[in-house]
Amino acid sequence: PSFLSLCLFQAYDATLLAASYSGPQLDILIDQGRDDQFLSASQLLPDNLIAVCSEKKIPVVFRLQPGYDHSYFFIYSFINEHIKHHAKFLNA
């Protein structure tokens, strides 16, 4: 990857965003498929995000979901819980 593509990617990296976050209190919910091929290839590093959140005192719930991968079915299976989670903070 080029330097430019790495810089652009970093603008959306959750771990880097959490490390530099200084806004209102957050409450993060993460669902991760245990059988996600990107997780097993070490392309996803949720432990890094959890560590930064811990350092910054950002509450995070991490749920490793057995039997799920990185598919749309995984998203479909948990999207309602995430919508409800975010709605609590949007006063919806």
Side-chain angles (χ1 to χ4, degrees):
S2 70
F3 175 74
L4 179 58
S5 66
L6 286 175
C7 289
L8 292 174
F9 171 76
Q10 288 178 350
Y12 302 101
D13 181 87
T15 302
L16 294 175
L17 290 169
S20 64
Y21 185 75
S22 62
Q25 181 64 40
L26 296 174
D27 189 324
I28 298 175
L29 172 61
I30 302 169
D31 278 299
Q32 171 66 58
R34 184 182 306 256
D35 300 329
D36 187 325
Q37 67 274 23
F38 298 104
L39 182 65
S40 61
S42 298
Q43 293 176 331
L44 296 174
L45 305 169
D47 292 339
N48 293 354
L49 176 58
I50 294 166
V52 166
C53 288
S54 178
E55 290 171 17
K56 299 279 289 189
K57 309 248 184 292
I58 298 171
V60 60
V61 172
F62 177 73
R63 304 184 306 189
L64 193 58
Q65 302 291 357
Y68 288 92
D69 56 12
H70 203 87
S71 66
Y72 286 109
F73 178 70
F74 168 72
I75 296 167
Y76 172 80
S77 298
F78 299 98
I79 192 69
N80 283 337
E81 293 174 60
H82 286 263
I83 290 170
K84 289 177 185 175
H85 175 81
H86 293 293
K88 291 186 301 190
F89 301 98
L90 296 173
N91 297 321

